[in-house]
Amino acid sequence: MLPVIDPAASSTAPKHHPGVPVLPLPSPPAFGSPSTGHGPDSSMEWLGVLLALLNGVTRIDWSGAGVSAGRPVPSGGGAYPGEVYAATPAGLCHYVPSAHALELLSRTDLRADVTRTLERPPLTPPESVLLITSRLGANLARYGPFGHRLQALDTGVLTGQALTVLASAGAEPRAHARFADGELGRLLGLDPRAERVHAIVTARAPRDIAPGTPLLRRRTARSGFEPVPVPLATVLTVLAETARPLPLDHVAPVDCELYVIAHRVTGLETGCHRRDPRTGRLVPVAAGVTPRALFPPGGPGELAGFEAACAVLVTGDYESGYPLHGDRWYRMLNLRAGAVAQRIGLAAARAGLGAGLRCDVDTPAADALLRAAPDRTTLLAALLGPERGNGTPSCPLLHPRAPS
Ligand SMILES: Cc1cc2nc3c(=O)[nH]c(=O)nc-3n(C[C@H](O)[C@H](O)[C@H](O)COP(=O)(O)O)c2cc1C
């Protein structure tokens, strides 16, 4: 059964802190100017680029619903419940994407205090500390209790994006899901009934941050997919990029695994295949099924499921983690799945494919296709294929740096 959704209910407004000092960040569209071959030259500049690429407004989209601001990361229903805070030498800041500015919440350098709350802090004190929270009520009016899962997935997407951007800048990032929640909430001044920290990303100082083309091209294939085949090699590349180990502070007792439901993949039988994590090969598990079978008939996913070349299912096992991590495992597993989903979107953009993340799958129907251990379940699906026509009209606000 799909969760009951009220499409008329709107998301709550993003957070801001009236009355605190606001620090405008250097304008990231400066990337449109000719490359000097060097990265940002002040810590404020690289923080501005990092935050823009993480959660800023990076494009304008036109759709039937009007004009909207597009972000580098996807979000369930476009609700964007995640907020990003940075603990910096100058103090604790909250990022306001619409203004591309920082709200200065405290002039104290809280990096050491935040690091102390981590169950597995990095060996050397981190220079960069990002805190990713979720506003608990952000999407509940529309999605009901299912909104909590979307929030965990969304913060996973943001965490994955932070890891990607910081790793590309040579900053050796690590994401933390295990920390002293209460103490951390107090440090940030959060009301625990309204907003909680879901993840912390620690890193060295980035060497050079610049938007790569795939990072700026990622978006949901809103115009649907051309129902044409894609080569198996392209799908395998997307899967290989997606399945790289995530630098997290914990090991999953049973890791997320990827399954592919192929419909139009040249060189791959139509049906469900499991990606063997050791060899990267696709092992057939159920013949003849197509991504359409993942969606309830007549629902919004059915057409997209029919058109897509294939679906990638991100799966995980809830039961294996509770004995080790307690209730927190629910959030940890969905955070992991969100980070994997972020990689799928990026790898698809790099391969020139359109992608669409979907949580509106019929989970029991999808799980039946996996023929996996009974506790393994589908956490989300990503549809892949060439986007129809020229895609939805969109205007980029940042430009990739030309190769030097
Ligand atoms: C966890 C998650 C679940 C999503 N589920 C769906 C879905 O079920 N159906 C859908 O059409 N889009 C889904 N999306 C895509 C969002 O609607 C989309 O990311 C958002 O509107 C922002 O647009 P963009 O991806 O083009 O930037 C999902 C995205 C995320 C991150």
Side-chain angles (χ1 to χ4, degrees):
M1 249 200 20
L2 289 179
V4 176
I5 292 172
D6 177 359
S10 54
S11 323
T12 58
K15 189 159 184 205
H16 88 111
H17 303 75
V20 304
V22 175
L23 315 174
L25 286 163
S27 170
F31 275 121
S33 54
S35 165
T36 58
H38 301 291
D41 56 11
S42 77
S43 58
M44 207 58 167
E45 243 180 274
W46 71 247
L47 191 58
V49 181
L50 169 64
L51 293 171
L53 295 179
L54 175 55
N55 200 27
V57 174
T58 47
R59 59 175 203 276
I60 302 297
D61 292 335
W62 283 269
S63 70
V67 179
S68 61
R71 310 265 193 117
V73 281
S75 164
Y80 293 98
E83 300 284 336
V84 178
Y85 296 77
T88 75
L92 177 70
C93 302
H94 169 244
Y95 180 56
V96 184
S98 56
H100 187 56
L102 292 173
E103 293 175 325
L104 184 61
L105 306 183
S106 148
R107 292 188 191 277
T108 311
D109 181 353
L110 291 177
R111 289 176 298 172
D113 301 78
V114 172
T115 307
R116 260 194 296 280
T117 70
L118 303 177
E119 211 172 275
R120 294 204 178 150
L123 294 178
T124 49
E127 283 152 286
S128 169
V129 177
L130 294 175
L131 302 108
I132 297 168
T133 69
S134 193
R135 286 177 290 115
L136 304 185
N139 56 8
L140 299 188
R142 196 185 315 162
Y143 293 105
F146 180 66
H148 290 296
R149 195 156 91 76
L150 285 180
Q151 289 176 28
L153 288 166
D154 260 36
T155 42
V157 168
L158 275 173
T159 304
Q161 185 85 345
L163 292 174
T164 299
V165 176
L166 284 162
S168 73
E172 298 173 31
R174 188 178 178 77
H176 304 259
R178 300 194 56 89
F179 40 77
D181 296 43
E183 202 183 328
L184 203 51
R186 274 191 297 281
L187 279 176
L188 266 67
L190 302 179
D191 172 356
R193 290 161 306 173
E195 186 179 3
R196 296 213 180 140
V197 180
H198 275 192
I200 295 173
V201 179
T202 55
R204 295 173 179 278
R207 272 199 311 269
D208 180 7
I209 298 187
T213 309
L215 211 61
L216 297 178
R217 213 192 278 142
R218 188 237 50 97
R219 60 181 190 157
T220 297
R222 291 216 179 282
S223 305
F225 302 100
E226 296 283 359
V228 296
V230 300
L232 173 59
T234 309
V235 175
L236 289 177
T237 305
V238 170
L239 295 174
E241 283 179 29
T242 301
R244 281 177 299 110
L246 283 163
L248 299 176
D249 67 343
H250 62 276
V251 178
V254 174
D255 208 353
C256 288
E257 276 188 5
L258 302 175
Y259 285 71
V260 175
I261 316 277
H263 186 196
R264 297 186 189 86
V265 180
T266 311
L268 189 64
E269 293 276 318
T270 296
C272 179
H273 308 256
R274 170 179 170 268
R275 181 182 186 274
D276 183 330
R278 280 182 311 108
T279 62
R281 293 178 59 181
L282 292 175
V283 183
V285 290
V289 288
T290 71
R292 186 178 179 176
L294 297 171
F295 300 96
E302 192 187 17
L303 176 62
F306 167 74
E307 291 175 344
C310 66
V312 178
L313 302 188
V314 182
T315 71
D317 180 337
Y318 282 111
E319 297 310 319
S320 65
Y322 287 124
L324 208 64
H325 299 294
D327 286 349
R328 179 185 292 258
W329 174 243
Y330 176 83
R331 206 168 78 190
M332 290 164 76
L333 181 59
N334 282 291
L335 186 120
R336 193 175 273 268
V340 171
Q342 177 270 346
R343 284 185 170 176
I344 298 177
L346 215 55
R350 194 172 288 126
L353 290 180
L357 298 183
R358 313 270 336 186
C359 273
D360 55 351
V361 294
D362 177 344
T363 306
D367 290 353
L369 300 178
L370 306 181
R371 308 219 171 126
D375 289 334
R376 185 168 285 285
T377 186
T378 306
L379 299 170
L380 61 77
L383 295 175
L384 300 180
E387 192 172 357
R388 185 187 299 290
N390 293 323
T392 307
S394 179
C395 172
L397 297 177
L398 295 184
H399 300 282
R401 199 168 76 194
S404 43

